[in-house]
Each structure stands twice: as C-alpha cells, then as structure tokens.
Amino acid sequence: MAKIMTQLHQDHINLSRLLAVLKSRLAELKAGERPDYHLMQDVVRYVVDYADTHHHPLEDVLYQYTIEHYPQHKDILNEVEHEHAVIKAASSGFHEVVEQILLDAIVPMDQFTQQLESFINQQLAHLNREEGRVFPLLEECLTDDDWSKVEESLFQRDDPLFGDEVAEEYKRLYKELISESAVA
Ligand SMILES: [Fe+2]
Ligand SMILES: [Fe+2]
C-alpha cells in the first residue's frame, strides 16, 4: 500500500477512536449526566485543527489527481470533496457551540445533544464512505507511477495527538484515550 494511504487509513483509525470518546459522552448526556465538556472541546479542536486542515486537504490532492487522470470516477470524488467543505463548516460551528458552553452560555441540552449526535454521524458517514468505497477505488485505479507522482506533491505534517510527540494542548485528551483503551 502507498505510504500516503497507510497514513490516511491510520488517520481514520485515530478519528474513529475519538468519535468513540464522543459517543460515550453522548450516552452520558442522554442518561441525564453532565459530560466532560473540556474533553469534548479537545476532540472537536483536533478535528478542526488536524482533520479539517491537514487530513482532508491531503485527500483533496489525491482526489484531484485521480479526477484529472481517471475522469470516469469524478462523480464520487467530487462528492467526497464537497463533503469536506460541508464537514469543515459543521465542525467549526460545533466547536464554537462547545466553547460557548464552557463560557457558561445557556444552550438547551436537547439541542446540544442533537448537534453532538449529528456531528458524530456526519463524521462517521464520511469516514465509512472513504474506507468502504473511495479508498478501494483509488487502490484499484492508481498505478505505482501515479502514487509516486502524487506523493511528491504532498505536504506532510506531524499529527499533534497521535504523532511522535503529543502537543501541549492535547496532553489531557491523550491521557483520556490511554485510560479509555485500558478499560476497553
Ligand atoms: Fe475525507
Ligand atoms: Fe478521510
């Protein structure tokens, strides 16, 4: 598998772990408990800061290359690219709502629960579509030569949470992930 695909696939695994953290918080909310909003803020910040600004743009480069060279796949690839834009707007909107809650703004709980649930579902649907349909399609149609050409044009950045070094602002979330996997 091309190096870039291994990376993108690993990003998906990491994102799924974070979405599982949010799912547990959603269950707490539905049970009438007050979840840890700081933890949710950290997860959503990571999505905005890494997935929306690095992971999706890398995929966009890959999708654009494929559209140019294999235009028969343009419909599905344009659709997933469009989802990136929709998801980006939704995540930064949701990030703001979580920040407002932490600043003690009054946000009706049923409204927030719904927003959290649709945030999780939207992220999962996109991820599953890429894993289930788009990535297999790329693996099938791109040649070794295509992969090296496309990889040359990619910009790589360290993952601030799952990379070699955990950035200061993600240390709390990192500890939580370790403790959640210890009990899983
Ligand atoms: Fe994507
Ligand atoms: Fe992705």
Side-chain angles (χ1 to χ4, degrees), residues 8-9 11-12 15 51 55-56 59 63 84 126-127 130-131 135:
L8 292 173
H9 179 64
D11 287 345
H12 285 173
L15 278 168
H55 174 86
H56 290 163
E59 289 173 338
Y63 300 163
H84 288 168
H126 179 72
L127 209 143
E130 290 185 323
E131 282 292 326
F135 284 10

PDB file of all heavy atoms in Angstrom, residues 8-9 11-12 15 51 55-56 59 63 84 126-127 130-131 135, ligand 2:
ATOM      1  N   LEU A   8      -3.309   7.934   5.658  1.00  0.00           N
ATOM      2  CA  LEU A   8      -4.722   8.359   5.668  1.00  0.00           C
ATOM      3  C   LEU A   8      -5.596   7.330   6.383  1.00  0.00           C
ATOM      4  O   LEU A   8      -6.525   7.678   7.114  1.00  0.00           O
ATOM      5  CB  LEU A   8      -5.228   8.581   4.234  1.00  0.00           C
ATOM      6  CG  LEU A   8      -4.606   9.771   3.492  1.00  0.00           C
ATOM      7  CD1 LEU A   8      -5.055   9.777   2.028  1.00  0.00           C
ATOM      8  CD2 LEU A   8      -4.969  11.098   4.156  1.00  0.00           C
ATOM      9  N   HIS A   9      -5.262   6.062   6.180  1.00  0.00           N
ATOM     10  CA  HIS A   9      -6.008   4.989   6.829  1.00  0.00           C
ATOM     11  C   HIS A   9      -5.788   5.052   8.350  1.00  0.00           C
ATOM     12  O   HIS A   9      -6.731   4.909   9.135  1.00  0.00           O
ATOM     13  CB  HIS A   9      -5.558   3.648   6.242  1.00  0.00           C
ATOM     14  CG  HIS A   9      -6.232   2.479   6.851  1.00  0.00           C
ATOM     15  ND1 HIS A   9      -7.586   2.262   6.746  1.00  0.00           N
ATOM     16  CD2 HIS A   9      -5.743   1.467   7.610  1.00  0.00           C
ATOM     17  CE1 HIS A   9      -7.892   1.161   7.416  1.00  0.00           C
ATOM     18  NE2 HIS A   9      -6.797   0.667   7.947  1.00  0.00           N
ATOM     19  N   ASP A  11      -5.074   7.725  10.041  1.00  0.00           N
ATOM     20  CA  ASP A  11      -5.860   8.887  10.493  1.00  0.00           C
ATOM     21  C   ASP A  11      -7.308   8.480  10.744  1.00  0.00           C
ATOM     22  O   ASP A  11      -7.932   8.918  11.710  1.00  0.00           O
ATOM     23  CB  ASP A  11      -5.859   9.997   9.430  1.00  0.00           C
ATOM     24  CG  ASP A  11      -4.526  10.735   9.311  1.00  0.00           C
ATOM     25  OD1 ASP A  11      -3.684  10.599  10.210  1.00  0.00           O
ATOM     26  OD2 ASP A  11      -4.351  11.460   8.313  1.00  0.00           O
ATOM     27  N   HIS A  12      -7.840   7.643   9.869  1.00  0.00           N
ATOM     28  CA  HIS A  12      -9.236   7.199  10.045  1.00  0.00           C
ATOM     29  C   HIS A  12      -9.398   6.374  11.314  1.00  0.00           C
ATOM     30  O   HIS A  12     -10.384   6.512  12.026  1.00  0.00           O
ATOM     31  CB  HIS A  12      -9.699   6.374   8.829  1.00  0.00           C
ATOM     32  CG  HIS A  12      -9.983   7.220   7.625  1.00  0.00           C
ATOM     33  ND1 HIS A  12     -10.275   6.685   6.386  1.00  0.00           N
ATOM     34  CD2 HIS A  12     -10.017   8.568   7.460  1.00  0.00           C
ATOM     35  CE1 HIS A  12     -10.482   7.680   5.526  1.00  0.00           C
ATOM     36  NE2 HIS A  12     -10.326   8.824   6.155  1.00  0.00           N
ATOM     37  N   LEU A  15      -9.281   8.826  14.149  1.00  0.00           N
ATOM     38  CA  LEU A  15     -10.542   9.580  14.231  1.00  0.00           C
ATOM     39  C   LEU A  15     -11.662   8.724  14.805  1.00  0.00           C
ATOM     40  O   LEU A  15     -12.489   9.203  15.587  1.00  0.00           O
ATOM     41  CB  LEU A  15     -10.950  10.093  12.846  1.00  0.00           C
ATOM     42  CG  LEU A  15     -10.257  11.379  12.387  1.00  0.00           C
ATOM     43  CD1 LEU A  15     -10.506  11.619  10.904  1.00  0.00           C
ATOM     44  CD2 LEU A  15     -10.756  12.582  13.198  1.00  0.00           C
ATOM     45  N   ALA A  51      -7.885  17.161  11.225  1.00  0.00           N
ATOM     46  CA  ALA A  51      -8.641  16.521  10.138  1.00  0.00           C
ATOM     47  C   ALA A  51      -9.048  17.536   9.068  1.00  0.00           C
ATOM     48  O   ALA A  51      -8.827  17.318   7.877  1.00  0.00           O
ATOM     49  CB  ALA A  51      -9.868  15.803  10.698  1.00  0.00           C
ATOM     50  N   HIS A  55      -5.688  16.453   7.094  1.00  0.00           N
ATOM     51  CA  HIS A  55      -6.129  15.173   6.517  1.00  0.00           C
ATOM     52  C   HIS A  55      -6.994  15.388   5.255  1.00  0.00           C
ATOM     53  O   HIS A  55      -6.696  14.809   4.201  1.00  0.00           O
ATOM     54  CB  HIS A  55      -6.895  14.384   7.595  1.00  0.00           C
ATOM     55  CG  HIS A  55      -7.513  13.123   7.124  1.00  0.00           C
ATOM     56  ND1 HIS A  55      -6.822  11.926   7.073  1.00  0.00           N
ATOM     57  CD2 HIS A  55      -8.765  12.852   6.662  1.00  0.00           C
ATOM     58  CE1 HIS A  55      -7.624  10.986   6.605  1.00  0.00           C
ATOM     59  NE2 HIS A  55      -8.807  11.522   6.344  1.00  0.00           N
ATOM     60  N   HIS A  56      -8.011  16.196   5.355  1.00  0.00           N
ATOM     61  CA  HIS A  56      -8.868  16.408   4.183  1.00  0.00           C
ATOM     62  C   HIS A  56      -8.143  17.081   3.017  1.00  0.00           C
ATOM     63  O   HIS A  56      -8.296  16.642   1.878  1.00  0.00           O
ATOM     64  CB  HIS A  56     -10.134  17.191   4.566  1.00  0.00           C
ATOM     65  CG  HIS A  56     -11.081  16.381   5.399  1.00  0.00           C
ATOM     66  ND1 HIS A  56     -12.090  16.936   6.144  1.00  0.00           N
ATOM     67  CD2 HIS A  56     -11.144  15.048   5.605  1.00  0.00           C
ATOM     68  CE1 HIS A  56     -12.738  15.973   6.775  1.00  0.00           C
ATOM     69  NE2 HIS A  56     -12.192  14.818   6.480  1.00  0.00           N
ATOM     70  N   GLU A  59      -6.272  14.458   1.192  1.00  0.00           N
ATOM     71  CA  GLU A  59      -7.190  13.653   0.369  1.00  0.00           C
ATOM     72  C   GLU A  59      -7.615  14.429  -0.875  1.00  0.00           C
ATOM     73  O   GLU A  59      -7.721  13.853  -1.966  1.00  0.00           O
ATOM     74  CB  GLU A  59      -8.426  13.268   1.188  1.00  0.00           C
ATOM     75  CG  GLU A  59      -8.125  12.240   2.255  1.00  0.00           C
ATOM     76  CD  GLU A  59      -9.309  11.983   3.177  1.00  0.00           C
ATOM     77  OE1 GLU A  59     -10.207  12.849   3.281  1.00  0.00           O
ATOM     78  OE2 GLU A  59      -9.333  10.924   3.814  1.00  0.00           O
ATOM     79  N   TYR A  63      -7.597  13.176  -4.615  1.00  0.00           N
ATOM     80  CA  TYR A  63      -8.840  13.080  -5.395  1.00  0.00           C
ATOM     81  C   TYR A  63      -8.731  13.903  -6.678  1.00  0.00           C
ATOM     82  O   TYR A  63      -9.174  13.458  -7.735  1.00  0.00           O
ATOM     83  CB  TYR A  63     -10.055  13.556  -4.577  1.00  0.00           C
ATOM     84  CG  TYR A  63     -10.302  12.747  -3.306  1.00  0.00           C
ATOM     85  CD1 TYR A  63     -11.116  13.233  -2.291  1.00  0.00           C
ATOM     86  CD2 TYR A  63      -9.721  11.490  -3.137  1.00  0.00           C
ATOM     87  CE1 TYR A  63     -11.337  12.495  -1.136  1.00  0.00           C
ATOM     88  CE2 TYR A  63      -9.935  10.760  -1.975  1.00  0.00           C
ATOM     89  CZ  TYR A  63     -10.745  11.261  -0.979  1.00  0.00           C
ATOM     90  OH  TYR A  63     -10.955  10.538   0.155  1.00  0.00           O
ATOM     91  N   HIS A  84     -16.066  17.406   2.363  1.00  0.00           N
ATOM     92  CA  HIS A  84     -15.015  18.035   3.175  1.00  0.00           C
ATOM     93  C   HIS A  84     -15.395  19.476   3.519  1.00  0.00           C
ATOM     94  O   HIS A  84     -15.194  19.920   4.653  1.00  0.00           O
ATOM     95  CB  HIS A  84     -13.670  18.042   2.427  1.00  0.00           C
ATOM     96  CG  HIS A  84     -13.036  16.690   2.334  1.00  0.00           C
ATOM     97  ND1 HIS A  84     -11.965  16.421   1.522  1.00  0.00           N
ATOM     98  CD2 HIS A  84     -13.318  15.527   2.976  1.00  0.00           C
ATOM     99  CE1 HIS A  84     -11.621  15.146   1.655  1.00  0.00           C
ATOM    100  NE2 HIS A  84     -12.440  14.589   2.524  1.00  0.00           N
ATOM    101  N   HIS A 126     -18.868   9.952   6.569  1.00  0.00           N
ATOM    102  CA  HIS A 126     -17.822  10.334   5.616  1.00  0.00           C
ATOM    103  C   HIS A 126     -16.669   9.325   5.644  1.00  0.00           C
ATOM    104  O   HIS A 126     -16.199   8.852   4.599  1.00  0.00           O
ATOM    105  CB  HIS A 126     -17.331  11.746   5.952  1.00  0.00           C
ATOM    106  CG  HIS A 126     -16.236  12.220   5.050  1.00  0.00           C
ATOM    107  ND1 HIS A 126     -16.462  12.567   3.727  1.00  0.00           N
ATOM    108  CD2 HIS A 126     -14.909  12.371   5.244  1.00  0.00           C
ATOM    109  CE1 HIS A 126     -15.313  12.912   3.178  1.00  0.00           C
ATOM    110  NE2 HIS A 126     -14.357  12.804   4.079  1.00  0.00           N
ATOM    111  N   LEU A 127     -16.263   9.019   6.868  1.00  0.00           N
ATOM    112  CA  LEU A 127     -15.152   8.082   7.051  1.00  0.00           C
ATOM    113  C   LEU A 127     -15.472   6.693   6.457  1.00  0.00           C
ATOM    114  O   LEU A 127     -14.648   6.090   5.749  1.00  0.00           O
ATOM    115  CB  LEU A 127     -14.983   7.978   8.565  1.00  0.00           C
ATOM    116  CG  LEU A 127     -13.662   7.671   9.165  1.00  0.00           C
ATOM    117  CD1 LEU A 127     -13.534   8.471  10.462  1.00  0.00           C
ATOM    118  CD2 LEU A 127     -13.582   6.224   9.470  1.00  0.00           C
ATOM    119  N   GLU A 130     -15.354   6.750   2.667  1.00  0.00           N
ATOM    120  CA  GLU A 130     -13.995   6.720   2.125  1.00  0.00           C
ATOM    121  C   GLU A 130     -13.375   5.333   2.283  1.00  0.00           C
ATOM    122  O   GLU A 130     -12.774   4.802   1.353  1.00  0.00           O
ATOM    123  CB  GLU A 130     -13.127   7.784   2.814  1.00  0.00           C
ATOM    124  CG  GLU A 130     -13.540   9.176   2.397  1.00  0.00           C
ATOM    125  CD  GLU A 130     -12.649  10.272   2.945  1.00  0.00           C
ATOM    126  OE1 GLU A 130     -12.188  10.152   4.096  1.00  0.00           O
ATOM    127  OE2 GLU A 130     -12.441  11.267   2.231  1.00  0.00           O
ATOM    128  N   GLU A 131     -13.522   4.771   3.479  1.00  0.00           N
ATOM    129  CA  GLU A 131     -12.931   3.452   3.719  1.00  0.00           C
ATOM    130  C   GLU A 131     -13.600   2.371   2.869  1.00  0.00           C
ATOM    131  O   GLU A 131     -12.945   1.466   2.359  1.00  0.00           O
ATOM    132  CB  GLU A 131     -13.058   3.069   5.199  1.00  0.00           C
ATOM    133  CG  GLU A 131     -12.044   3.737   6.087  1.00  0.00           C
ATOM    134  CD  GLU A 131     -10.608   3.245   5.845  1.00  0.00           C
ATOM    135  OE1 GLU A 131     -10.415   2.062   5.536  1.00  0.00           O
ATOM    136  OE2 GLU A 131      -9.691   4.081   5.971  1.00  0.00           O
ATOM    137  N   PHE A 135     -11.435   4.708  -0.988  1.00  0.00           N
ATOM    138  CA  PHE A 135     -10.063   4.207  -0.904  1.00  0.00           C
ATOM    139  C   PHE A 135      -9.862   2.937  -1.748  1.00  0.00           C
ATOM    140  O   PHE A 135      -8.869   2.842  -2.481  1.00  0.00           O
ATOM    141  CB  PHE A 135      -9.626   3.995   0.557  1.00  0.00           C
ATOM    142  CG  PHE A 135      -9.299   5.279   1.308  1.00  0.00           C
ATOM    143  CD1 PHE A 135      -9.595   6.522   0.773  1.00  0.00           C
ATOM    144  CD2 PHE A 135      -8.680   5.237   2.553  1.00  0.00           C
ATOM    145  CE1 PHE A 135      -9.301   7.707   1.457  1.00  0.00           C
ATOM    146  CE2 PHE A 135      -8.373   6.412   3.253  1.00  0.00           C
ATOM    147  CZ  PHE A 135      -8.690   7.644   2.701  1.00  0.00           C
TER     148      PHE A 135
HETATM  149 FE    FE B   2     -10.594  10.783   5.315  1.00  0.00          FE
END
